[in-house]
Amino acid sequence: MTGNRRPTIKTVAAHAGVGRTTVSRVVNGSDLVSAEARARVLAAIKELNYVPNSVARGLVTNRTDAVALVIPESESRLGSEPFFAAIIRGVSGACAESRTQLQLMLVRDEAERDQLTESVATRRVDGVLLLSVHSGDRLPGMLEEMGLPTVLAGRRGADEQLSHVIADNAGGAAAAVRHLLGRGRRRVATITGPLDMDVGRSRLAGWHAAHREAGVAAPDLLVETGDFTEEGGAHAMRSLLERAPDLDAVFAASDLMAVGALTELRRWRRRVPEDVAVVGFEDSVLARHTDPPLTTVRQPVEELGRTMARVLTDITRHGADRQRITLPTELVVRASS
């Protein structure tokens, strides 16, 4: 090493010619490392004089009473979407109850992923709460390989093995569409969330299920993929109207996308709900202040955050088994439908 900079796990990995995950496994005593790789890592640790805090203080088996809330999203999205603020309130409240320090970590690029890896490898946190889970996301698998207790808000798929807390996304979406069909709407479009996320796929599945129950056709031209943003909702609504100008209702998979849809409907001079009924999902503060007020599916976002934190505490302090929890949703009917 040159200068006085303390070597990091990234330095050790580069010196040993292995990945950071391999270094973490060696540091934490995992068996999932070949003898050759272990020898190279140990040699690099010795040569660089790398001493993780967890080793120096014997923290591998003791607690730090700190957890990380990891959000792989931009600051602008974090500030614009009510979902994230509600999750943070719920998590921080539960952490305060259990006297656990909460570290908020945004992972937007490789450098911040490295910072998370370093925190995990040196056991500066007891566990991780992870939001915005996509099917191909490497973070859940990486955290599992490192042996760090992890609880997801959402899941990568229906067969998710890690502990996770979700809302009843399919059931809530089905209730929304059932409501619209029950009011005589027959061309009910949907603006989905990203389909590489289980939440997006599940809410689309609920849209399909309600149509099947009612014996009403659900053609693909009434489906448009969104991204949970207001701009994405407006763009999706425009695409739907261009393809299916006779649609008479739309279920948006988030309130923020429903707000964008309302804006676009006004631009097309479509009255809500007379011409097109609109339903969202979340029951955020936005839903009560749209024009007209938004019918939506209430999901208990703060409770989701509190439950995640409590599940992680059960695992880190009491050795609890992995948990898979689904919280109920509720349709809230307002003037938009």
Side-chain angles (χ1 to χ4, degrees):
M1 287 291 293
T2 59
N4 296 319
R5 293 181 60 192
R6 185 173 66 86
T8 66
I9 190 171
K10 187 175 181 181
T11 314
V12 174
H15 197 80
V18 299
R20 294 185 299 276
T21 300
T22 300
V23 177
S24 176
R25 287 173 178 168
V26 172
V27 168
N28 292 309
S30 171
D31 295 328
L32 301 175
V33 184
S34 70
E36 178 189 358
R38 186 183 304 278
R40 294 213 308 270
V41 170
L42 291 174
I45 287 173
K46 182 177 181 180
E47 186 173 340
L48 297 172
N49 196 28
Y50 173 70
V51 183
N53 291 341
S54 58
V55 176
R57 299 194 305 264
L59 292 180
V60 171
T61 55
N62 294 331
R63 297 197 316 265
T64 64
D65 288 327
V67 299
L69 175 60
V70 178
I71 308 177
E73 299 286 357
S74 66
E75 289 139 312
S76 61
R77 190 153 190 177
L78 190 66
S80 65
E81 295 190 25
F83 174 84
F84 292 115
I87 282 279
I88 292 169
R89 284 197 301 272
V91 169
S92 62
C95 286
E97 291 171 5
S98 63
R99 298 184 180 276
T100 301
Q101 180 185 359
L102 177 63
Q103 300 178 16
L104 178 62
M105 300 183 70
L106 301 185
V107 178
R108 297 157 293 190
D109 53 32
E110 197 62 30
E112 289 174 341
R113 189 181 292 267
D114 289 349
Q115 182 183 2
L116 173 61
T117 306
E118 182 81 11
S119 291
V120 169
T122 56
R123 283 298 196 266
R124 289 199 287 268
V125 294
D126 294 329
V128 166
L129 304 165
L130 180 60
L131 272 59
S132 295
V133 180
H134 295 258
S135 298
D137 193 348
R138 293 189 294 118
L139 271 177
M142 181 192 81
L143 295 168
E144 184 174 30
E145 288 175 354
M146 289 181 171
L148 193 75
T150 301
V151 179
L152 311 179
R155 56 189 185 181
R156 288 167 289 182
D159 60 349
E160 180 63 70
Q161 296 302 303
L162 289 177
S163 290
H164 58 269
V165 183
I166 61 173
D168 182 8
N169 293 302
V177 178
R178 203 177 291 125
H179 164 73
L180 291 167
L181 294 171
R183 295 207 165 179
R185 309 291 172 153
R186 285 299 177 267
R187 299 278 285 168
V188 181
T190 185
I191 301 172
T192 78
L195 296 181
D196 67 338
M197 300 180 74
D198 178 77
V199 61
R201 296 191 300 273
S202 294
R203 291 177 189 176
L204 176 59
W207 178 84
H208 278 293
H211 279 86
R212 283 195 304 272
E213 290 172 13
V216 176
D220 289 342
L221 85 162
L222 292 178
V223 178
E224 186 66 29
T225 304
D227 60 1
F228 289 140
T229 69
E230 183 176 351
E231 296 77 11
H235 177 79
M237 190 73 252
R238 182 162 58 252
S239 297
L240 286 167
L241 288 167
E242 288 169 351
R243 285 203 308 271
D246 60 339
L247 65 84
D248 59 7
V250 61
F251 163 61
S254 77
D255 286 353
L256 205 53
M257 291 196 298
V259 170
L262 289 170
T263 300
E264 190 65 18
L265 286 165
R266 278 194 296 272
R267 202 171 73 82
W268 283 63
R269 293 182 170 80
R270 300 296 173 86
R271 298 169 301 164
V272 177
E274 293 85 356
D275 301 325
V276 180
V278 179
V279 178
F281 201 114
E282 187 177 334
D283 195 29
S284 65
V285 66
L286 295 172
R288 296 182 287 281
H289 299 288
T290 57
D291 182 21
L294 184 67
T295 295
T296 185
V297 177
R298 177 179 295 150
Q299 64 171 345
V301 183
E302 282 196 42
E303 182 59 30
L304 195 152
R306 281 192 293 270
T307 303
M308 288 175 66
R310 288 168 182 161
V311 167
L312 187 58
T313 297
D314 285 346
I315 295 170
T316 58
R317 296 190 181 178
H318 310 299
D321 293 333
R322 293 180 179 182
Q323 299 182 48
R324 301 165 184 86
I325 297 173
T326 301
L327 300 179
T329 55
E330 176 189 359
L331 182 70
V332 180
V333 179
R334 297 192 180 97
S336 70
S337 63

